[in-house]
Amino acid sequence: MELVFAWMPLAAAGLVVTVVVVLVALRKRADRGERGILSAAHTERLLALPEYRGAYRRALVKLGGMVLLVLVALGALSVVAARPITTDIADTDRVNRDIVLCLDVSGSMTAADAAIVGRFLELVEQFHGERIALVVWDSSAAQVFPLNDDYDYVEEKLASVQDEVSSDVGDVGDLFGGDPDGDPPIWAGTDLGNGSSLIGDGLASCVLRFDNPDLERSRTIILATDNALAGDPIVTLEEATSFALEREVRVYGITPSGMFGPDEDDLRDQLRRTGGEVFGVDDTGAGQNIVDEVLDDQATTLEGVPELVVIDHPGWPFRIAVLALWGVLFLAWRARI
Amino acid sequence: MVALLPRVKSRLFIHANRRTTNLLEGEYAAISAGRSLDFDDLREYLPGDDVDDIDWKATARTGSPLVKRYKQTRRHDVVLAIDTGRGMAAAAEGGGPKRDLAILVAGALGYLSLRHGDAVGLVTRAGGRVRNRPPRASEAYLETLLRSVQNETRLDAAPGDPYELCSYLLRGVPSRSIVIVVADDVEPAPDIDEALRSLRERHELLWITIGDLDLVRGDGSDREILDVLDGSPVPSVLREDPRLARVYRRRTDDRIAAQHAYFRSRGVSHCRVATADEVVPELLRLLQRRRRNGY
C-alpha cells in the first residue's frame, strides 16, 4: 500500500492550521471593535447558575466532538485524496494466447465426450490469462461460449457440459431434446448440416472463432474428434487444415480411447502440418503435453511487455470520512447550530 | 451635546398624555406634607390633591373644583442620589445604557420638583469620592446635574455601591428633604437595614431601581454580551439552551419579587424601571401608592 499524492495529508494539515490562524486573527480584530459588544451588569446571575455550568459542559462536549469529527473526516478524506494504491506487475505474454476448444459431439463420440471434457477442464486449470472458447460440432458447429478469460465462467460451463454428456444415453430428458432443468441440450444446433461428424466443417468453424485477425496473437485449437466422417462436408479436413495454416492457427488433436488406424493417421498427418500433435485421451500426461506445447513452444514467438497495474483502495478512509461527517451532522442537530 | 432636560420634558408632556402629567404633578405635591396656614390663592383641583384642601364655597361659586394654596413655610429640598458606578453604564432591557433611564427618572422627578417650587440637588459617588451638589431651584442647574450624571457614568468608572451612597446621605443631608435614590439593580442587602430605616425616618425616601438587561433574551441584536466588570462573555450558544433559559427566568422573577418585598417590608417607596416607556407610568404608580398606602 502506498500513496500517490503523499503530500495531501500534509496539505490538509496546513489548511487546518491556516484556517485556525485566520479565525484567531479575525477574532482578535473583532475584539478590538466596541460596536459588537453589549456590556451587561450582574452576568453572574446567569453564569453562576449550576444549570449554566451543565449547559456549558454539554456545549463544550458537543463542540469538541464536532471539531474532532471534522478533523477525522478531513484526515480520512486527505488520505482518499492522496490515492492509496497497490501496484502489481502483470505478465502480458500469457494474455496473448487464444485457445478454442473444439469438441466433436457426434454419435460416435458420445461415449468419449465426458472423458474429453474432463481433459479440457484439466487444461483450463493450467492456463492463466489465456482466452478460451468452446465450440461443439456435429454436422454443423455451435458456439457454447466465446473467447474469454473469465475462468470461473469457463469452468462452470465446462462442468455443466461434462455433466450433460455424462448422462446415460436414452435419458428421458434426452429423448425430448433437453435435460430436466429445461435448458436446450448441449448439442442443440449441431445437426443442421448434411450428414454427421463433418470434421472439416467443424475445424473450419473453429478457426473462424478467432477474433481480431490483425492482432499478433498465438492461436490454438484443441480439436477432440474420432475423425469418423459420415456425410458430405463443405470443406474436407485437408482444406480446413490449410485454412488453419493460412490463419496461423496451430491445431492439437485429442482422440478417444481405442482409436487407431487410417482415421487417426490421417488426422495426425493433417494436424502436424499446422505444427500440432495428436494425443489419445487416455495418454497419461496428454493434457500436460498440450499445455507444455502451447506455453513453451509459443511463448518464444510472443513479446510480452510487463505492465504496471495500479489498483486504488479508497475504501476504508472513505468509509471513516462518511461516518465522521454523519457524526458531525448528528451533533450539529443536537446542538441546534 | 444635546440638552438632556428637553428630552425629559418631551417624554413627560408628549409621550405621556396630558392627564398623566397633571396626575403626576398632583401626586408629587402630596409628597411634601408640610404646609403653612397662610392662604396664598386658589387653583384648579388636580387629581392627587388632598380633598381637605378643596375650597367648597369657591367650588360652588365657580362650578369647578378649586383648592386653596398656602404659602409654603419653607422650600423643600429634593436630593437626587444617583448611582453613577460602572454598572449603570451597562445595558438596560432595550440595549441602551441604564444611565439613560436614570437620567430620565431623575429629570422627570427633578422637573416636577422645580414646577412645584422646590430646589433640586444631586449626590453621586464616583471613583470612591462622593460629590454633593447643593439644591437649587433652576432648570439650567437641573440640566447641569443631569449632564454630570451622564459624564460620570462611564464603562471605565469605578463600580457603584448604592448602600454606601445611603450611608453618606445619612451624614451629608442634614435638613429634612425629599431623597430620591436612583440605584442599580442590586440584591437587597440585610446589613443596610439600619441605614435605610434611619434615612426613611429623617427624609421622604423614594427608591427607584433601574432594571438590568435580560441576559438570555439580550437586546435583540447579535452583539456579544460581556460582563461590564470583568469582561467575561455570555456565550450566545448557551443563551439558546431552553433549560438554562427557564431556570434563569424563574430566578429573575424570584429576585424581582424579593426586591419589591424587601423595600416594601421596610416601608420604602420603591419602583423598578426597565425601559424608557415605563418611566412615567411607573413613577405615577409609585406616587399614588405612596399617597394611599404610605409606601
Side-chain angles (χ1 to χ4, degrees):
Chain A
M1 185 85 61
E2 52 192 303
L3 299 174
V4 178
F5 308 111
W7 47 268
M8 202 60 98
L10 289 177
L15 188 73
V16 168
V17 169
T18 310
V19 166
V20 167
V21 166
V22 166
L23 283 180
V24 166
L26 283 179
R27 195 174 166 78
K28 276 214 179 111
R29 193 171 301 167
D31 279 351
R32 285 189 212 115
E34 290 283 316
R35 204 171 289 254
I37 289 175
L38 183 62
S39 289
H42 305 115
T43 56
E44 72 278 358
R45 285 171 189 163
L46 179 66
L47 303 189
L49 290 176
E51 287 80 4
Y52 175 84
R53 257 166 281 154
Y56 187 81
R57 211 166 34 239
R58 282 197 301 277
L60 209 63
V61 166
K62 281 175 197 157
L63 206 68
M66 274 167 70
V67 168
L68 194 73
L69 285 175
V70 165
L71 287 181
V72 166
L74 201 67
L77 285 177
S78 73
V79 172
V80 174
R83 266 190 86 189
I85 54 159
T86 49
T87 51
D88 201 4
I89 310 287
D91 296 332
T92 50
D93 55 335
R94 285 182 175 175
V95 300
N96 274 339
R97 296 198 184 93
D98 293 340
I99 299 163
V100 172
L101 305 173
C102 199
L103 179 62
D104 181 356
V105 292
S106 62
S108 56
M109 287 287 287
T110 307
D113 274 346
I116 288 172
V117 175
R119 282 291 181 203
F120 282 172
L121 274 167
E122 285 168 29
L123 287 176
V124 166
E125 278 170 22
Q126 310 253 356
F127 290 130
H128 302 284
E130 285 80 3
R131 298 200 298 163
I132 295 176
L134 176 62
V135 174
V136 295
W137 54 272
D138 183 2
S139 60
S140 61
Q143 176 174 266
V144 179
F145 53 83
L147 281 170
N148 73 97
D149 56 0
D150 183 349
Y151 283 81
D152 289 339
Y153 173 71
V154 167
E155 283 175 14
E156 181 195 323
K157 217 60 190 169
L158 282 174
S160 96
V161 169
Q162 188 181 30
D163 190 41
E164 198 163 331
V165 295
S166 323
S167 321
D168 290 338
V169 180
D171 244 356
V172 177
D174 293 340
L175 279 178
F176 289 95
D179 54 4
D181 59 18
D183 287 340
I186 191 70
W187 47 82
T190 61
D191 54 355
L192 305 176
N194 186 12
S196 166
S197 203
L198 303 179
I199 180 165
D201 293 3
L203 180 56
S205 296
C206 289
V207 171
L208 285 170
R209 287 305 123 201
F210 294 103
D211 53 5
N212 299 323
D214 301 336
L215 292 183
E216 189 81 14
R217 296 177 75 85
S218 154
R219 298 184 172 90
T220 305
I221 288 176
I222 300 175
L223 177 67
T225 182
D226 54 1
N227 197 19
L229 177 66
D232 185 12
I234 298 167
V235 292
T236 63
L237 175 59
E238 190 180 351
E239 286 166 341
T241 308
S242 301
F243 182 47
L245 208 53
E246 186 187 315
R247 292 276 177 111
E248 293 177 337
V249 176
R250 183 176 297 210
V251 184
Y252 292 92
I254 295 182
T255 54
S257 55
M259 177 188 168
F260 51 87
D263 284 350
E264 186 176 18
D265 293 340
D266 176 36
L267 186 65
R268 179 168 288 118
D269 289 345
Q270 291 301 328
L271 297 193
R272 279 184 176 164
R273 283 171 59 206
T274 67
E277 186 50 82
V278 172
F279 301 96
V281 72
D282 295 330
D283 292 358
T284 47
Q288 194 56 51
N289 281 336
I290 294 177
V291 170
D292 291 346
E293 294 257 353
V294 169
L295 297 187
D296 294 349
D297 204 35
Q298 301 191 350
T300 54
T301 67
L302 290 166
E303 286 180 10
V305 181
E307 195 181 326
L308 187 69
V309 180
V310 176
I311 305 163
D312 281 287
H313 298 283
W316 60 266
F318 192 73
R319 251 166 267 163
I320 289 174
V322 168
L323 286 179
L325 287 176
W326 273 109
V328 169
L329 286 180
F330 175 75
L331 281 183
W333 168 65
R334 291 291 300 165
R336 270 174 279 235
I337 291 174
Chain B
M1 184 187 241
V2 184
L4 296 171
L5 195 54
R7 272 195 275 174
V8 175
K9 283 191 204 168
S10 73
R11 192 161 275 281
L12 268 179
F13 293 119
I14 295 166
H15 292 288
N17 58 37
R18 189 78 213 167
R19 184 170 165 275
T20 313
T21 309
N22 285 341
L23 276 171
L24 259 179
E25 274 190 48
E27 296 290 354
Y28 176 82
I31 294 180
S32 40
R35 55 175 87 86
S36 74
L37 293 173
D38 298 335
F39 174 75
D40 189 12
D41 63 351
L42 290 168
R43 68 160 171 81
E44 287 269 310
Y45 170 84
L46 291 172
D49 284 343
D50 197 332
V51 180
D52 288 346
D53 286 349
I54 295 177
D55 185 334
W56 293 109
K57 286 180 181 169
T59 301
R61 273 200 301 278
T62 58
S64 65
L66 294 173
V67 290
K68 290 175 235 167
R69 286 232 282 210
Y70 300 92
K71 274 198 183 113
Q72 288 185 323
T73 46
R74 60 182 169 81
R75 191 190 61 178
H76 283 274
D77 283 344
V78 174
V79 177
L80 299 169
I82 298 180
D83 184 352
T84 55
R86 191 187 296 184
M88 293 296 281
E93 250 171 46
K98 286 189 277 183
R99 175 193 64 209
D100 291 356
L101 282 182
I103 288 171
L104 203 53
V105 168
L109 290 174
Y111 179 68
L112 288 174
S113 314
L114 293 179
R115 295 257 293 195
H116 196 257
D118 293 341
V120 181
L122 173 69
V123 176
T124 60
R125 191 178 159 279
R129 192 165 60 91
V130 174
R131 292 177 67 189
N132 189 349
R133 291 88 163 172
R136 278 187 216 159
S138 139
E139 283 199 16
Y141 185 63
L142 179 58
E143 172 73 30
T144 319
L145 297 185
L146 296 182
R147 286 224 179 139
S148 59
V149 170
Q150 190 177 43
N151 293 335
E152 279 176 33
T153 316
R154 287 191 314 266
L155 280 169
D156 53 358
D161 183 350
Y163 296 120
E164 208 166 308
L165 200 59
C166 285
S167 50
Y168 170 79
L169 290 172
L170 275 177
R171 290 174 276 121
V173 184
S175 59
R176 187 171 184 89
S177 309
I178 299 170
V179 173
I180 297 168
V181 180
V182 182
D184 197 358
D185 194 354
V186 288
E187 310 281 351
D191 57 329
I192 202 66
D193 278 2
E194 196 60 38
L196 213 56
R197 190 162 59 241
S198 309
L199 206 55
R200 194 176 70 87
E201 279 165 6
R202 282 188 215 173
H203 306 287
E204 305 292 337
L205 180 60
L206 302 178
W207 190 291
I208 289 114
T209 297
I210 309 296
D212 267 323
L213 176 77
D214 187 311
L215 294 174
V216 166
R217 273 185 301 183
D219 67 337
S221 74
D222 57 354
R223 284 190 285 178
E224 190 184 6
I225 297 180
L226 298 182
D227 190 273
V228 72
L229 290 185
D230 56 13
S232 53
V234 179
S236 54
V237 175
L238 297 184
R239 286 163 55 200
E240 284 159 20
D241 189 301
R243 204 183 330 169
L244 182 61
R246 207 161 48 235
V247 172
Y248 175 74
R249 172 120 311 278
R250 201 174 59 232
R251 292 289 180 90
T252 304
D253 290 344
D254 290 351
R255 187 174 57 79
I256 291 171
Q259 204 173 42
H260 282 303
Y262 173 84
F263 286 108
R264 185 176 167 174
S265 68
R266 281 147 190 83
V268 178
S269 305
H270 171 250
C271 77
R272 186 186 158 86
V273 174
T275 64
D277 291 335
E278 271 178 21
V279 168
V280 171
E282 277 296 331
L283 289 181
L284 178 61
R285 218 169 294 144
L286 171 71
L287 295 174
Q288 282 174 335
R289 198 166 61 227
R290 184 184 164 83
R291 177 171 59 82
R292 288 179 195 149
N293 306 339
Y295 61 86

